[in-house]
Amino acid sequence: MTILKPLVRYGYAPLMLLGVNGAAVAITAAGASKLWLPALLAFAVALSFAVERVLPYEADWNHGHADRGRDAAHTFVNETLVLVSVSVIPLLAAAVPGDGIWPREWPHVLQVLAAILVADAGLTLVHYASHKIGALWRFHAVHHSVKRFYGLNGLMKHPVHQALEMAVGVLPLVLLGMPAPVASALAFAVAVQLLMQHSNADYRVGALKHVLALNEGHRFHHLKWAGAGDVNFGLFTLIWDHLLRTKSYDPARRFTTADLGMAAKPDYPDAYGAQLAEPFRRSGAC
């Protein structure tokens, strides 16, 4: 165990970001069976849970807070939305006049990296707007109602907000002519990033924490007090947060359950169905 913890602390992020994502890039480049990606994602989820237990940031967050069924429902619905969106990309691309300006001559891995950077801009700006516009916050508030910080939190989103994020993040890529294999690799990378960004594992990436949008910085985004959590909006990178001046980090800060949620709405609904309905109720206002 003495050797295992340092290996996990410094090896987990490279394994997920380079190894697991790299395998997805190789699978999509080779045109292999689409069943390989769900299997690889299942491995990533299992690995995420295992690492959270070997090296937890907060031990209490590994235990269910009467939220496991709800989080499983969010995960199933939102991952299904992602799969559906990827499957219709060829149809959307066919409706775009011409072949677009996508750099198809680039190596597949560079095409995926380009897609990640473009999507990161759109997703970050939607996220930023969701903290500033009341109508969007109604739906985004579901994500901020969490009382513990662990891998599946990343997919705890209202389907309306998930659809909006996907539309803004992916539509520009479709208009540019992004090929379906690149879209599949991008969707996989988003899922892995959400696992990493909300992970309860106490892993480290050194100075890269100021560039990559991972859990050390994203915990600040989930501070429950109004304004305090309006930071670190990026999904893949913190580039846009540096430009928006919303990047925040304090190495001395330690987080507990008492820091999470929404101070203005401590009784936000916990059940899945109630969370879907809340944005449409008067009580769901900002």
Side-chain angles (χ1 to χ4, degrees):
M1 187 64 72
T2 303
I3 298 175
L4 179 60
K5 287 189 174 181
L7 283 175
V8 170
R9 177 167 282 120
Y10 298 103
Y12 176 56
L15 175 60
M16 289 285 276
L17 297 179
L18 299 178
V20 175
N21 278 334
V25 170
I27 288 169
T28 53
S33 170
K34 293 181 180 179
L35 296 178
W36 281 107
L37 287 183
L40 186 61
L41 182 58
F43 167 77
V45 172
L47 179 61
S48 173
F49 285 168
V51 169
E52 287 179 334
R53 279 149 183 78
V54 170
L55 192 69
Y57 174 84
E58 180 65 46
D60 181 59
W61 292 349
N62 281 339
H63 304 292
H65 291 198
D67 54 8
R68 285 176 174 165
R70 178 204 66 198
D71 292 354
H74 277 295
T75 299
F76 174 78
V77 171
N78 290 323
E79 273 301 301
T80 299
L81 281 174
V82 171
L83 292 174
V84 170
S85 68
V86 170
S87 67
V88 301
I89 281 177
L91 298 177
L92 295 174
V96 177
D99 296 327
I101 59 171
W102 189 262
R104 295 172 182 267
E105 70 280 4
W106 290 6
H108 182 66
V109 63
L110 292 184
Q111 293 184 50
V112 174
L113 288 173
I116 285 173
L117 290 175
V118 173
D120 189 50
L123 292 168
T124 300
L125 294 177
V126 169
H127 197 176
Y128 178 82
S130 297
H131 280 242
K132 305 299 180 182
I133 300 172
L136 296 180
W137 172 256
R138 281 177 171 267
F139 296 97
H140 186 51
V142 171
H143 182 67
H144 280 270
S145 67
V146 298
K147 301 296 177 61
R148 64 179 177 131
F149 204 79
Y150 79 117
L152 288 190
N153 286 162
L155 284 166
M156 187 183 159
K157 300 180 180 182
H158 196 286
V160 171
H161 198 267
Q162 169 85 349
L164 176 63
E165 284 186 328
M166 288 192 298
V168 175
V170 175
L171 185 57
L173 294 166
V174 173
L175 295 175
L176 290 171
M178 176 180 62
V182 176
S184 296
L186 171 62
F188 185 91
V190 168
V192 168
Q193 190 67 17
L194 290 171
L195 278 173
M196 296 291 291
Q197 191 176 64
H198 296 84
S199 176
N200 184 33
D202 191 20
Y203 67 85
R204 308 291 170 80
V205 294
L208 287 176
K209 63 178 170 284
H210 300 295
V211 179
L212 301 179
L214 296 171
N215 64 353
E216 282 189 83
H218 197 66
R219 294 186 191 110
F220 292 87
H221 182 75
H222 280 267
L223 286 169
K224 69 181 183 180
W225 298 279
D230 293 340
V231 298
N232 301 347
F233 292 100
L235 175 59
F236 286 103
T237 77
L238 295 172
I239 294 172
W240 288 92
D241 285 289
H242 284 286
L243 294 174
L244 293 167
R245 296 186 178 182
T246 54
K247 191 264 182 182
S248 178
Y249 183 74
D250 177 1
R253 183 66 189 249
R254 180 77 190 178
F255 294 83
T256 67
T257 298
D259 298 309
L260 306 181
M262 293 178 285
K265 294 185 178 183
D267 298 321
Y268 196 87
D270 289 323
Y272 180 71
Q275 289 192 341
L276 295 190
E278 185 65 11
F280 301 101
R281 295 173 174 155
R282 181 175 297 179
S283 59
C286 181

